[in-house]
């Protein structure tokens, strides 16, 4: 079944939806806040904030195994989010959704359980040169431990991957391909559906890092046919401290548990413990109940607007920003792939990204500067970092103009 | 040569003209950095990097006629501006004057609010390193006199 549930209205009323984000009403350094650091984390709509306080004010209780009313209400709300995630990514079953702290923990979980069980000496793992440290370091650690080989698919100058290179790297000893759907530094959208199919032909499993994709596009795990998918709630209008890991049932069932503790067991004696079924096998201890519950409101928000609408709006902002910045002498864009999410990295010639970032902050414009947790990628371009503007559904074309004007002013001052 | 106190007062006056305009203040800092005497390449080595700064900051110090002279550079313009202020205030003074200096101009020009806590920590690391040099020279002089 394709995911067709998230179409939303035909057009977006951005002014109206901005009023639903309290933080967007504030000023920074005497200017209206222009928040363009959405790839790091998005702002939260009132309904997410309210859900947190409503939970703590009305039905705070530990979930599962509770017979009292509050525990039942909390359990229902918690499990309702699981179902909402299942629908959002079109997973076949709700048990295939595991709650974690975030994308990083989701990837670490796979490395620690699937990795330690199914990846060994003589095998290899393929990642790309544009991965976030979260999708590099867990695999490096695993390879160090098991003697498996880490293979890195190089990034081309424009920020795209070369599928011919990919096919050369893949072989029958590839246990896993771990790749981002969209790059948090370059914005590049990778052809992950094709890459997944190619990997499967070689018998390799595929993990998709959807941290930068889920907030901006339709993600359908059945269509992609990935074995794992990781993402963070806080990058799609939800609370911090919640992530998801989707895994195919057959794979999750074959994997050992992640951490030991409450919730993940079926029966414990000192002689032997039997484990609970998925997803609980991977959710030891009391989870982040409040934030998981509030995450459902973020999903509701995104569905109400429609992911296609969100994607279209952000694409227009990206185009405007790209053209506006490109027109400046002394501004270099980093990452010019044909297909991108709303992430725009650039540098003002002769100016360190930190300096540009501080100058923009003085004008109330929030961007991120530095290596964006992709140090190998930044090194590949021979630079110290980038200034990164990243867009969300509540950003406006006036805000993009503000960015373009500010950058052009700073670049002019620098050239003088 | 003006006293450390006088130089600090001059800086406070200059910054007062910028009247809390963050953009203008940052541009001014960058200009100050541009104007600072360049650090000879030979001193841009890793052992001269100040630990605790987010940006790279190289500091070189030498003692002439009982006074400490600093030279510095950074890979970012704003940080170069910051260290140029410290060089301007402290360079050319005796180790004792440097060690006793109360660098209240930083607080008086509202630098912490301007640069935020991470860079403030970096600024403190710069001051500490400059004072450490002064202490080192002082100890060396004392041991020369005693020995
Ligand atoms: C592509 C990508 N992967 C992984 C992560 C890590 O996400 P988290 O910090 O929420 O675990 C990020 C966050 O910046 C990201 O952009």
């Amino acid at each position: 079944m394709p995911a067709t549930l998230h179409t939303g209205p035909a057009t977006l009323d951005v002014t109206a939806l901005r009023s639903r984000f309290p933080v967007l009403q504030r000023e920074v350094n005497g200017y209206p806040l222009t928040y363009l650091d959405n790839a790091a984390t998005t702002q939260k709509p009132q309904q997410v904030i309210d859900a947190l306080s409503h939970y703590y004010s009305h039905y705070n209780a530990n979930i599962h195994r509770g017979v009292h009313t509050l525990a039942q209400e909390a359990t229902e709300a918690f499990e309702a989010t699981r179902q909402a995630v299942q629908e959002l990514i079109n997973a076949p079953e709700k048990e295939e959704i595991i709650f974690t702290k975030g994308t990083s923990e989701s990837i670490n979980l796979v490395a620690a359980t699937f990795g330690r069980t199914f990846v060994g000496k003589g095998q290899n793992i393929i990642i790309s040169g544009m991965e976030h440290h979260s999708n590099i370091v867990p695999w490096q650690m695993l390879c160090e431990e098991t003697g498996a080989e880490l293979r890195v698919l190089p990034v081309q100058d424009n920020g795209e991957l070369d599928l011919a290179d990919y096919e050369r790297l893949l072989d029958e000893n590839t246990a896993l391909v771990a790749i981002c759907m969209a790059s948090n530094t370059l914005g590049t959208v990778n052809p992950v559906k094709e890459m997944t199919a190619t990997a499967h032909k070689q018998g390799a499993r595929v993990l998709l890092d959807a941290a930068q994709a889920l907030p901006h596009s339709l993600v359908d795990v059945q269509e992609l046919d990935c074995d794992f998918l990781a993402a963070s709630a806080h990058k799609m209008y939800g609370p911090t401290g919640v992530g998801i890991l989707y895994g195919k049932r057959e794979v999750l069932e074959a994997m050992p548990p992640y951490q030991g503790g409450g919730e993940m067991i079926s029966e414990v004696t000192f002689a032997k413990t039997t484990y609970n079924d998925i997803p609980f096998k991977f959710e030891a201890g009391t989870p982040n109940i409040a934030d998981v519950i509030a995450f459902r409101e973020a999903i509701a928000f995104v569905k109400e607007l429609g992911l296609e609408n969100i994607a279209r709006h952000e694409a227009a902002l990206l185009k405007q920003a790209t053209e506006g910045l490109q027109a400046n002498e002394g501004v270099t864009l980093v990452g010019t792939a044909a297909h991108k999410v709303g992430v725009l990295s650039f540098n003002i010639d002769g100016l360190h990204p930190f300096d540009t970032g501080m100058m923009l902050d003085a004008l109330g414009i929030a961007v991120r500067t530095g290596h964006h947790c992709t140090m190998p990628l930044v090194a590949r371009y021979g630079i110290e970092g980038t200034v990164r503007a990243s867009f969300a559904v509540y950003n406006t074309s006036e805000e993009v103009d503000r960015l373009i004007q500010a950058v052009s002013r700073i670049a002019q001052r620098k050239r003088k | 040569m003006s006293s450390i106190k006088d130089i600090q007062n001059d800086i406070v006056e200059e910054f007062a003209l910028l009247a809390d305009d963050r953009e203008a203040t940052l541009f001014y800092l960058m200009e100050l950095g541009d104007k600072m005497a360049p650090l000879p390449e030979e001193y841009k080595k890793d052992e001269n990097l100040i630990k605790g700064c987010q940006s790279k900051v190289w500091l070189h110090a030498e003692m002439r006629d009982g006074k400490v002279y600093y030279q510095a550079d950074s890979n970012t313009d704003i940080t170069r501006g910051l260290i140029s202020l410290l060089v301007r205030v402290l360079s050319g003074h005796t180790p004792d004057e440097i060690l006793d200096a109360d660098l209240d101009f930083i607080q008086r020009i509202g630098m912490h609010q301007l640069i935020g806590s991470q860079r403030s920590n970096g600024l403190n690391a710069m001051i500490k390193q400059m004072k450490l040099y002064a202490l080192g020279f002082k100890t060396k002089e004392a041991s020369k006199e005693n020995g």
Side-chain angles (χ1 to χ4, degrees):
Chain A
M1 186 183 72
T4 51
L5 304 159
H6 334 298
T7 35
T11 53
L12 287 177
D13 183 349
V14 176
T15 317
L17 76 88
R18 280 182 78 81
S19 69
R20 295 163 67 178
F21 288 78
V23 89
L24 296 180
Q25 316 311 316
R26 71 167 277 191
E27 290 195 341
V28 168
N29 300 324
Y31 292 88
L33 166 65
T34 301
Y35 187 79
L36 301 178
D37 192 18
N38 296 289
T41 197
T42 58
Q43 298 302 340
K44 320 304 172 199
Q46 189 67 51
Q47 70 201 83
V48 169
I49 302 166
D50 286 348
L52 281 171
S53 107
H54 186 254
Y55 163 74
Y56 283 123
S57 312
H58 294 274
Y59 59 104
N60 169 55
N62 210 332
I63 53 169
H64 305 135
R65 302 175 315 279
V67 293
H68 62 81
T69 304
L70 266 57
Q72 284 177 21
E73 286 175 11
T75 303
E76 270 166 34
F78 185 89
E79 291 302 322
T81 302
R82 203 186 302 275
Q83 181 147 4
V85 172
Q86 179 206 344
E87 286 164 15
L88 179 74
I89 64 172
N90 196 30
E93 297 175 65
K94 124 182 172 23
E95 291 74 24
E96 295 174 314
I97 309 297
I98 296 157
F99 287 118
T100 62
K101 285 198 305 232
T103 308
S104 304
E105 193 183 34
S106 298
I107 297 172
N108 276 282
L109 188 159
V110 176
T113 61
F114 171 85
R116 288 210 191 118
T117 315
F118 297 107
V119 184
K121 209 170 161 55
Q123 290 183 295
N124 64 75
I125 296 173
I126 298 178
I127 61 174
S128 86
M130 67 175 84
E131 298 309 314
H132 188 281
H133 296 164
S134 292
N135 201 25
I136 301 175
V137 185
W139 309 121
Q140 276 176 332
M141 289 162 65
L142 177 69
C143 287
E144 225 158 81
E145 198 181 306
T146 61
E149 181 197 351
L150 189 65
R151 297 185 176 172
V152 183
L153 176 58
V155 177
Q156 304 180 89
D157 287 343
N158 66 355
E160 291 177 0
L161 299 174
D162 182 341
L163 290 183
D165 288 344
Y166 174 60
E167 286 183 28
R168 272 193 294 276
L169 279 186
L170 256 178
D171 60 29
E172 70 280 7
N173 295 320
T174 304
L176 183 78
V177 174
I179 214 115
C180 61
M181 293 185 72
S183 155
N184 66 309
T185 300
L186 304 172
T188 310
V189 173
N190 290 316
V192 291
K193 188 180 165 187
E194 256 180 283
M195 293 174 80
T196 301
T198 315
H200 283 166
K201 274 187 213 137
Q202 292 280 8
R205 297 283 181 189
V206 176
L207 177 142
L208 298 180
D209 172 351
Q212 298 297 340
L214 197 59
H216 311 290
S217 50
L218 287 176
V219 170
D220 180 332
V221 293
Q222 294 191 55
E223 196 201 325
L224 294 167
D225 196 29
C226 54
D227 300 282
F228 301 104
L229 183 124
S232 300
H234 70 95
K235 292 182 196 285
M236 63 166 282
Y237 314 104
T240 51
V242 179
I244 56 166
L245 173 67
Y246 156 80
K248 283 183 180 164
R249 175 181 277 277
E250 68 195 80
V251 192
L252 292 180
E253 281 182 342
M255 282 156 52
Y258 179 39
Q259 293 172 328
E263 196 77 42
M264 52 77 69
I265 53 90
S266 164
E267 192 175 350
V268 178
T269 67
F270 284 117
K272 181 169 172 58
T273 293
T274 51
Y275 305 125
N276 204 337
D277 294 330
I278 64 166
F280 307 112
K281 181 167 90 175
F282 297 105
E283 292 179 354
T286 301
N288 186 351
I289 303 167
D291 291 295
V292 166
I293 289 174
F295 180 32
R296 182 152 77 109
E297 288 301 323
I299 297 172
F301 172 78
V302 162
K303 281 193 172 180
E304 174 200 326
L305 302 181
L307 272 161
E308 288 99 339
N309 292 328
I310 295 175
R312 200 176 321 117
H313 176 66
E314 290 170 353
L317 297 176
L318 176 70
K319 181 165 184 280
Q320 181 193 351
T322 304
E323 289 170 1
L325 290 188
Q326 238 165 5
N328 273 294
E329 201 185 317
V331 174
T332 308
L333 302 186
V334 183
T336 49
H339 191 189
K340 287 175 64 167
V341 289
V343 166
L344 185 56
S345 264
F346 64 94
N347 272 313
I348 295 180
D349 299 348
L351 204 53
H352 195 282
F354 283 171
D355 292 326
T356 310
M358 278 193 80
M359 299 296 309
L360 291 173
D361 179 62
L363 301 167
I365 302 173
V367 293
R368 191 140 295 245
T369 60
H371 54 65
H372 317 298
C373 295
T374 55
M375 286 172 90
L377 177 65
V378 163
R380 181 242 172 270
Y381 283 97
I383 51 183
E384 288 197 54
T386 73
V387 183
R388 181 187 71 187
S390 52
F391 308 110
V393 68
Y394 44 64
N395 289 123
T396 64
S397 129
E398 293 77 54
E399 288 181 311
V400 172
D401 273 339
R402 239 178 266 157
L403 171 75
I404 294 168
Q405 277 161 21
V407 168
S408 115
R409 203 155 75 190
I410 299 165
Q412 261 168 32
R413 280 291 290 246
K414 181 63 195 176
R415 283 210 304 280
K416 266 203 308 212
Chain B
M1 177 99 212
S2 317
S3 72
I4 287 180
K5 209 170 170 158
D6 289 343
I7 305 172
Q8 292 195 76
N9 286 337
D10 290 348
I11 293 175
V12 172
E13 269 176 42
E14 290 164 22
F15 274 78
L17 295 176
L18 300 163
D20 286 340
D21 180 337
R22 288 179 90 92
E23 190 192 11
T25 308
L26 289 173
F27 273 133
Y28 184 57
L29 267 178
M30 285 163 66
E31 254 172 60
L32 291 178
D34 281 346
K35 283 189 201 141
M36 178 169 62
L39 179 69
E41 275 306 314
E42 63 199 280
Y43 298 134
K44 272 203 199 175
K45 50 188 178 188
D46 284 357
E47 58 255 49
N48 281 344
L49 279 173
I50 298 180
K51 290 190 187 68
C53 293
Q54 255 196 336
S55 313
K56 286 187 178 157
V57 182
W58 296 270
L59 179 69
H60 171 75
E62 54 193 46
M63 180 87 153
R64 292 196 301 270
D65 306 329
K67 288 177 178 160
V68 185
Y69 292 87
Y70 297 100
Q71 286 174 289
D73 199 359
S74 169
N75 65 337
T76 80
D77 290 20
I78 291 169
T79 309
R80 192 183 303 115
L82 290 174
I83 188 103
S84 83
L85 286 173
L86 295 177
V87 168
R88 178 172 160 201
V89 171
L90 294 178
S91 200
H93 295 279
T94 65
D96 278 327
E97 286 166 340
I98 293 166
L99 288 168
D100 290 344
D102 172 14
L103 299 177
D104 65 350
F105 81 100
I106 293 170
Q107 177 248 321
R108 283 160 73 202
I109 62 182
M111 191 57 80
H112 292 307
Q113 289 89 299
L114 181 74
I115 62 178
S117 60
Q118 275 177 13
R119 279 206 164 153
S120 284
N121 290 341
L123 192 60
N124 289 334
M126 295 177 211
I127 295 169
K128 196 168 136 200
Q129 191 59 37
M130 292 173 96
K131 291 204 172 194
L132 271 175
Y133 269 118
L135 184 65
F137 287 128
K138 182 181 162 163
T139 318
K140 220 155 131 194
E141 291 291 293
S143 65
K144 251 194 250 164
E145 277 163 26
N146 296 340

